[in-house]
């Protein structure tokens, strides 16, 4: 009889892109699981290949090191270890989503698609996109917005440079964000008519955690967390009616 018992889902986290964002997703999964004992939490396996080549540098043509090779190897390792669904806590890495999803035998959650869908369902009229240069050049969120018939805007070049500085010069180096620079980009988006903005880089999710950002922001890591738990048969707790943390 034990052999016929259904296997529990296993979440595979293809992480290290960067490490702090992967760690944050893991903690978020724990915090939003209705558990009273260890066994109530989901089974997961986490890879953190921090040596994966930089995704933005490759997309911008500044590096010839293709991150996909490493991502595919790690995805295969996660599946071999027992993962039944994968999550990638890096928006820029979704440039490689179609290739990776086709190469692996298990579902791969699409964070940008899920995030835009939630923005649309939540009544967003125009979505601001805060993300890396690589994500913007790949039009990862723009394409998802077009498919959802949701208008969008990105920061002006000078404010986008500020967003990149927050991500690479501050968060990835373990520093707090320069909120004057960050808020300048946000005000730019609001001036363009955006009523919500996506934190379309998992490093920016750490800004929300550390600085207490409000309901104007849709956190892509929170969206990924909710859908990862749902994919593992768990009803998340601790998110408000807008999908964010109270």
């Amino acid at each position: 009889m034990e052999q016929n018992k259904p296997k529990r889902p296993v979440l595979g986290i293809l992480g290290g892109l960067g490490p702090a964002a992967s760690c944050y997703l893991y903690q978020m999964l724990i915090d939003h699981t209705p558990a009273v004992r260890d066994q109530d939490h989901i089974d997961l396996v986490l890879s953190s290949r921090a040596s994966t080549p930089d995704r933005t540098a490759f997309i911008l043509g500044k590096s010839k090191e293709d991150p996909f090779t490493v991502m595919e190897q790690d995805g295969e390792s996660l599946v071999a270890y027992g993962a039944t669904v994968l999550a990638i806590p890096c928006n820029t890495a979704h440039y490689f989503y179609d290739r990776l999803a086709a190469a692996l035998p298990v579902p791969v959650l699409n964070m940008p698609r899920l995030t835009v869908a939630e923005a649309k369902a939540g009544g967003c009229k125009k979505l601001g996109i805060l993300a890396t240069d690589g994500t913007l050049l790949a039009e990862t969120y723009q394409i998802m917005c077009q498919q959802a018939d949701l208008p969008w805007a990105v920061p002006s070049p000078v404010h986008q440079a500020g967003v990149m500085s927050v991500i690479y010069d501050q968060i990835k180096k373990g520093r707090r964000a320069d909120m004057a620079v960050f808020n300048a980009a946000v005000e730019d988006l609001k001036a363009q008519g955006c009523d919500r903005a996506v934190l379309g880089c998992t490093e920016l999710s750490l800004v929300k955690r550390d600085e207490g950002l409000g309901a104007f922001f849709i956190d892509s890591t929170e969206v990924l967390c909710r859908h990862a738990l749902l994919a593992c048969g768990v009803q998340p707790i601790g998110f408000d009616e807008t999908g964010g943390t109270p």
Side-chain angles (χ1 to χ4, degrees), residues 68-167:
F68 177 76
T69 301
V70 178
M71 292 173 59
E72 183 181 28
Q73 291 173 351
D74 281 0
E76 291 172 346
S77 296
L78 290 170
V79 172
Y81 200 86
T84 56
V85 59
L86 297 189
I88 311 170
C90 174
N91 286 278
T92 307
H94 281 71
Y95 173 82
F96 309 95
Y97 176 85
D98 290 341
R99 291 168 64 191
L100 190 65
L104 298 175
V106 302
V108 182
L109 298 174
N110 190 312
M111 178 163 50
R113 179 178 293 125
L114 294 168
T115 302
V116 169
E118 291 205 7
K120 178 79 171 183
C124 177
K125 303 301 182 184
K126 187 173 184 178
L127 184 66
I129 304 171
L130 295 167
T132 65
D133 288 350
T135 298
L136 296 186
L137 181 64
E139 298 190 330
T140 302
Y141 272 94
Q142 297 95 311
I143 291 171
M144 296 303 169
C145 285
Q146 290 168 359
Q147 292 177 354
D149 194 25
L150 178 62
W152 54 268
V154 301
S156 66
V158 64
H159 290 119
Q160 177 59 25
V163 172
M164 284 291 286
S165 180
V166 168
I167 293 170

Side-chain angles (χ1 to χ4, degrees), residues 29-100:
L29 289 163
I30 294 170
D31 292 342
H32 293 282
T33 296
V36 295
R37 56 176 187 160
D38 292 347
Q39 292 76 18
D40 293 333
H41 288 278
I42 65 172
D43 291 335
L44 67 81
V45 55
L46 166 65
S47 70
S48 186
R49 189 75 68 93
S51 58
T52 303
D54 187 89
R55 283 66 60 200
T56 291
F58 179 79
I59 294 169
L60 296 179
K62 296 180 179 180
S63 170
K64 294 183 179 180
E65 292 186 271
D66 189 346
F68 177 76
T69 301
V70 178
M71 292 173 59
E72 183 181 28
Q73 291 173 351
D74 281 0
E76 291 172 346
S77 296
L78 290 170
V79 172
Y81 200 86
T84 56
V85 59
L86 297 189
I88 311 170
C90 174
N91 286 278
T92 307
H94 281 71
Y95 173 82
F96 309 95
Y97 176 85
D98 290 341
R99 291 168 64 191
L100 190 65

